[in-house]
Amino acid sequence: ACISLAKGKVVMGGAEPEFMEAGNLYDCPIYNITPNVKQIVEQMEKIIDSRERIPEIGRLGREYIIKHHDYIKIAEQYLEEWKR
């Protein structure tokens, strides 16, 4: 999912509200899906119906990855924790 977000793709996956809240992932642009065909189709229809937003959704995904998964930032966080 991270690679797809970094490439500006629209991503669907397990983004349950409880998981998103627990991880403080409020700005994560992943469309939540469950193992339910009807629900997946509904999410896909939502994306297709607002296809003019796809470039914006892709941009948001890329920005999310840069903000939260930049390897330099992550390495710096590890170093800070290690120093403590």
Side-chain angles (χ1 to χ4, degrees):
C2 288
I3 292 170
S4 294
L5 286 170
K7 290 183 176 186
K9 307 292 184 188
V10 175
V11 176
M12 299 171 64
E16 293 292 325
E18 300 83 6
F19 171 75
M20 302 301 273
E21 184 177 329
N24 196 24
L25 303 172
Y26 299 107
D27 59 341
C28 185
I30 295 179
Y31 284 83
N32 185 42
I33 55 172
T34 60
N36 176 304
V37 173
K38 184 174 186 247
Q39 193 268 343
I40 294 170
V41 170
E42 288 172 357
Q43 284 293 61
M44 292 178 77
E45 287 175 345
K46 184 189 300 186
I47 294 167
I48 292 167
D49 289 344
S50 61
R51 63 182 158 272
E52 69 280 350
R53 289 197 57 232
I54 290 176
E56 177 190 355
I57 295 167
R59 181 184 54 76
L60 292 172
R62 176 114 176 103
E63 289 174 2
Y64 177 82
I65 292 300
I66 290 168
K67 180 178 177 184
H68 296 287
H69 292 280
D70 177 70
Y71 69 98
I72 294 173
K73 288 181 185 176
I74 300 300
E76 289 171 348
Q77 289 174 351
Y78 272 107
L79 287 173
E80 288 302 316
E81 286 298 317
W82 184 70
K83 289 176 185 176
R84 280 196 251 171

